[in-house]
Short mmCIF file of all heavy atoms in Angstrom, two decimals:
data_model
loop_
_atom_site.label_atom_id
_atom_site.label_comp_id
_atom_site.label_asym_id
_atom_site.label_seq_id
_atom_site.Cartn_x
_atom_site.Cartn_y
_atom_site.Cartn_z
N ARG V 1 -13.75 -87.93 -60.47
CA ARG V 1 -14.80 -88.83 -59.99
C ARG V 1 -14.83 -90.13 -60.78
O ARG V 1 -15.06 -91.21 -60.22
CB ARG V 1 -16.15 -88.12 -60.10
CG ARG V 1 -16.28 -86.94 -59.14
CD ARG V 1 -17.57 -86.19 -59.39
NE ARG V 1 -17.69 -85.05 -58.47
CZ ARG V 1 -18.67 -84.15 -58.54
NH1 ARG V 1 -19.60 -84.23 -59.48
NH2 ARG V 1 -18.70 -83.15 -57.67
N ALA V 2 -14.60 -90.04 -62.10
CA ALA V 2 -14.59 -91.25 -62.92
C ALA V 2 -13.43 -92.16 -62.52
O ALA V 2 -13.58 -93.39 -62.44
CB ALA V 2 -14.51 -90.88 -64.39
N ALA V 3 -12.27 -91.57 -62.27
CA ALA V 3 -11.11 -92.39 -61.88
C ALA V 3 -11.33 -93.03 -60.52
O ALA V 3 -11.02 -94.21 -60.31
CB ALA V 3 -9.85 -91.53 -61.88
N LEU V 4 -11.87 -92.27 -59.58
CA LEU V 4 -12.09 -92.82 -58.24
C LEU V 4 -13.19 -93.88 -58.24
O LEU V 4 -13.19 -94.76 -57.37
CB LEU V 4 -12.45 -91.69 -57.27
CG LEU V 4 -11.34 -90.68 -56.97
CD1 LEU V 4 -11.84 -89.61 -56.01
CD2 LEU V 4 -10.12 -91.38 -56.37
N SER V 5 -14.11 -93.82 -59.20
CA SER V 5 -15.20 -94.80 -59.22
C SER V 5 -14.72 -96.20 -59.51
O SER V 5 -15.39 -97.17 -59.15
CB SER V 5 -16.24 -94.38 -60.26
OG SER V 5 -15.69 -94.44 -61.58
N VAL V 6 -13.55 -96.34 -60.15
CA VAL V 6 -13.00 -97.66 -60.45
C VAL V 6 -11.74 -97.93 -59.64
O VAL V 6 -11.01 -98.88 -59.91
CB VAL V 6 -12.69 -97.80 -61.95
CG1 VAL V 6 -13.98 -97.74 -62.76
CG2 VAL V 6 -11.72 -96.73 -62.41
N GLY V 7 -11.46 -97.04 -58.67
CA GLY V 7 -10.30 -97.25 -57.80
C GLY V 7 -8.97 -96.95 -58.45
O GLY V 7 -7.94 -97.48 -58.01
N ALA V 8 -8.94 -96.10 -59.47
CA ALA V 8 -7.70 -95.75 -60.17
C ALA V 8 -7.34 -94.32 -59.82
O ALA V 8 -7.92 -93.38 -60.35
CB ALA V 8 -7.86 -95.91 -61.67
N ALA V 9 -6.38 -94.12 -58.91
CA ALA V 9 -5.98 -92.79 -58.47
C ALA V 9 -4.69 -92.38 -59.16
O ALA V 9 -3.63 -92.25 -58.53
CB ALA V 9 -5.82 -92.75 -56.96
N THR V 10 -4.73 -92.22 -60.47
CA THR V 10 -3.57 -91.78 -61.23
C THR V 10 -3.96 -90.58 -62.10
O THR V 10 -5.11 -90.46 -62.56
CB THR V 10 -3.03 -92.90 -62.14
OG1 THR V 10 -4.07 -93.29 -63.03
CG2 THR V 10 -2.58 -94.09 -61.31
N ALA V 11 -2.99 -89.71 -62.32
CA ALA V 11 -3.26 -88.49 -63.07
C ALA V 11 -3.55 -88.78 -64.54
O ALA V 11 -4.29 -88.03 -65.19
CB ALA V 11 -2.07 -87.54 -62.94
N ASP V 12 -2.98 -89.85 -65.09
CA ASP V 12 -3.20 -90.14 -66.51
C ASP V 12 -4.67 -90.47 -66.78
O ASP V 12 -5.26 -90.02 -67.77
CB ASP V 12 -2.31 -91.30 -66.94
CG ASP V 12 -0.84 -90.92 -66.94
OD1 ASP V 12 -0.58 -89.71 -67.06
OD2 ASP V 12 0.01 -91.80 -66.78
N ILE V 13 -5.28 -91.26 -65.91
CA ILE V 13 -6.69 -91.59 -66.11
C ILE V 13 -7.55 -90.35 -65.95
O ILE V 13 -8.50 -90.11 -66.72
CB ILE V 13 -7.12 -92.69 -65.13
CG1 ILE V 13 -6.47 -94.00 -65.53
CG2 ILE V 13 -8.62 -92.83 -65.08
CD1 ILE V 13 -6.88 -95.17 -64.68
N VAL V 14 -7.23 -89.54 -64.97
CA VAL V 14 -7.98 -88.30 -64.79
C VAL V 14 -7.89 -87.43 -66.04
O VAL V 14 -8.88 -86.85 -66.49
CB VAL V 14 -7.48 -87.54 -63.55
CG1 VAL V 14 -8.16 -86.18 -63.44
CG2 VAL V 14 -7.73 -88.34 -62.29
N ALA V 15 -6.69 -87.36 -66.63
CA ALA V 15 -6.52 -86.54 -67.83
C ALA V 15 -7.35 -87.06 -68.99
O ALA V 15 -8.02 -86.30 -69.70
CB ALA V 15 -5.04 -86.48 -68.21
N VAL V 16 -7.33 -88.39 -69.21
CA VAL V 16 -8.09 -88.97 -70.31
C VAL V 16 -9.58 -88.74 -70.12
O VAL V 16 -10.30 -88.31 -71.04
CB VAL V 16 -7.76 -90.47 -70.43
CG1 VAL V 16 -8.70 -91.15 -71.43
CG2 VAL V 16 -6.32 -90.67 -70.87
N GLU V 17 -10.07 -89.00 -68.90
CA GLU V 17 -11.50 -88.86 -68.66
C GLU V 17 -11.93 -87.40 -68.65
O GLU V 17 -13.07 -87.08 -69.03
CB GLU V 17 -11.86 -89.54 -67.34
CG GLU V 17 -11.62 -91.04 -67.35
CD GLU V 17 -12.33 -91.72 -68.50
OE1 GLU V 17 -13.49 -91.34 -68.79
OE2 GLU V 17 -11.75 -92.62 -69.12
N ALA V 18 -11.05 -86.50 -68.23
CA ALA V 18 -11.39 -85.08 -68.26
C ALA V 18 -11.52 -84.60 -69.69
O ALA V 18 -12.43 -83.81 -70.03
CB ALA V 18 -10.34 -84.28 -67.51
N ARG V 19 -10.64 -85.07 -70.57
CA ARG V 19 -10.75 -84.68 -71.99
C ARG V 19 -11.99 -85.27 -72.63
O ARG V 19 -12.62 -84.63 -73.48
CB ARG V 19 -9.49 -85.09 -72.74
CG ARG V 19 -8.24 -84.32 -72.31
CD ARG V 19 -7.05 -84.61 -73.21
NE ARG V 19 -5.89 -83.84 -72.79
CZ ARG V 19 -4.93 -84.29 -71.99
NH1 ARG V 19 -5.02 -85.54 -71.53
NH2 ARG V 19 -3.91 -83.54 -71.64
N LYS V 20 -12.36 -86.48 -72.23
CA LYS V 20 -13.60 -87.08 -72.76
C LYS V 20 -14.82 -86.28 -72.29
O LYS V 20 -15.75 -86.05 -73.07
CB LYS V 20 -13.71 -88.53 -72.28
CG LYS V 20 -12.74 -89.47 -72.97
CD LYS V 20 -12.79 -90.84 -72.36
CE LYS V 20 -14.19 -91.41 -72.39
NZ LYS V 20 -14.25 -92.76 -71.79
N ALA V 21 -14.79 -85.83 -71.05
CA ALA V 21 -15.89 -85.00 -70.55
C ALA V 21 -15.97 -83.69 -71.31
O ALA V 21 -17.06 -83.19 -71.61
CB ALA V 21 -15.73 -84.76 -69.06
N ALA V 22 -14.80 -83.10 -71.64
CA ALA V 22 -14.80 -81.85 -72.39
C ALA V 22 -15.33 -82.07 -73.81
O ALA V 22 -16.05 -81.23 -74.35
CB ALA V 22 -13.38 -81.27 -72.43
N GLN V 23 -15.00 -83.22 -74.43
CA GLN V 23 -15.51 -83.50 -75.78
C GLN V 23 -17.01 -83.74 -75.77
O GLN V 23 -17.73 -83.31 -76.67
CB GLN V 23 -14.78 -84.71 -76.35
CG GLN V 23 -13.31 -84.45 -76.65
CD GLN V 23 -12.58 -85.72 -77.08
OE1 GLN V 23 -13.18 -86.80 -77.13
NE2 GLN V 23 -11.30 -85.59 -77.36
N ASN V 24 -17.51 -84.40 -74.73
CA ASN V 24 -18.95 -84.67 -74.65
C ASN V 24 -19.75 -83.38 -74.48
O ASN V 24 -20.89 -83.27 -74.93
CB ASN V 24 -19.26 -85.61 -73.49
CG ASN V 24 -18.72 -87.01 -73.75
OD1 ASN V 24 -18.57 -87.42 -74.90
ND2 ASN V 24 -18.43 -87.75 -72.68
N ALA V 25 -19.12 -82.39 -73.81
CA ALA V 25 -19.81 -81.11 -73.62
C ALA V 25 -19.97 -80.37 -74.94
O ALA V 25 -20.90 -79.58 -75.11
CB ALA V 25 -19.06 -80.25 -72.61
N GLY V 26 -19.08 -80.63 -75.91
CA GLY V 26 -19.19 -80.00 -77.21
C GLY V 26 -18.66 -78.59 -77.23
O GLY V 26 -18.41 -77.98 -76.18
N PRO V 27 -18.48 -78.02 -78.43
CA PRO V 27 -17.98 -76.64 -78.52
C PRO V 27 -19.03 -75.64 -78.07
O PRO V 27 -20.22 -75.93 -78.04
CB PRO V 27 -17.65 -76.48 -80.01
CG PRO V 27 -18.59 -77.44 -80.68
CD PRO V 27 -18.73 -78.62 -79.75
N SER V 28 -18.58 -74.45 -77.74
CA SER V 28 -19.50 -73.39 -77.34
C SER V 28 -20.33 -72.96 -78.54
O SER V 28 -19.83 -72.87 -79.67
CB SER V 28 -18.72 -72.20 -76.79
OG SER V 28 -17.97 -72.61 -75.66
N PRO V 29 -21.65 -72.71 -78.37
CA PRO V 29 -22.49 -72.28 -79.51
C PRO V 29 -22.03 -70.94 -80.03
O PRO V 29 -21.68 -70.05 -79.29
CB PRO V 29 -23.89 -72.20 -78.89
CG PRO V 29 -23.66 -72.02 -77.42
CD PRO V 29 -22.39 -72.76 -77.11
N THR V 30 -22.05 -70.82 -81.36
CA THR V 30 -21.64 -69.56 -82.00
C THR V 30 -22.84 -68.64 -82.12
O THR V 30 -23.99 -69.07 -82.10
CB THR V 30 -21.05 -69.84 -83.38
OG1 THR V 30 -22.04 -70.53 -84.15
CG2 THR V 30 -19.81 -70.68 -83.28
N ILE V 31 -22.57 -67.36 -82.29
CA ILE V 31 -23.62 -66.35 -82.44
C ILE V 31 -24.05 -66.30 -83.90
O ILE V 31 -23.22 -66.11 -84.79
CB ILE V 31 -23.13 -64.98 -81.96
CG1 ILE V 31 -22.73 -65.08 -80.49
CG2 ILE V 31 -24.17 -63.92 -82.17
CD1 ILE V 31 -22.13 -63.80 -79.95
N THR V 32 -25.30 -66.49 -84.17
CA THR V 32 -25.83 -66.46 -85.54
C THR V 32 -26.91 -65.40 -85.64
O THR V 32 -27.41 -64.89 -84.65
CB THR V 32 -26.40 -67.83 -85.93
OG1 THR V 32 -27.46 -68.15 -85.01
CG2 THR V 32 -25.34 -68.91 -85.84
#
């Protein structure tokens, strides 16, 4: 969706933005 929002239909942009989305989500909470 991020790539299509700026009209860039390439796999490299999708990969970069998908990894950024994964980093923003953060790691899974640990059990304490």
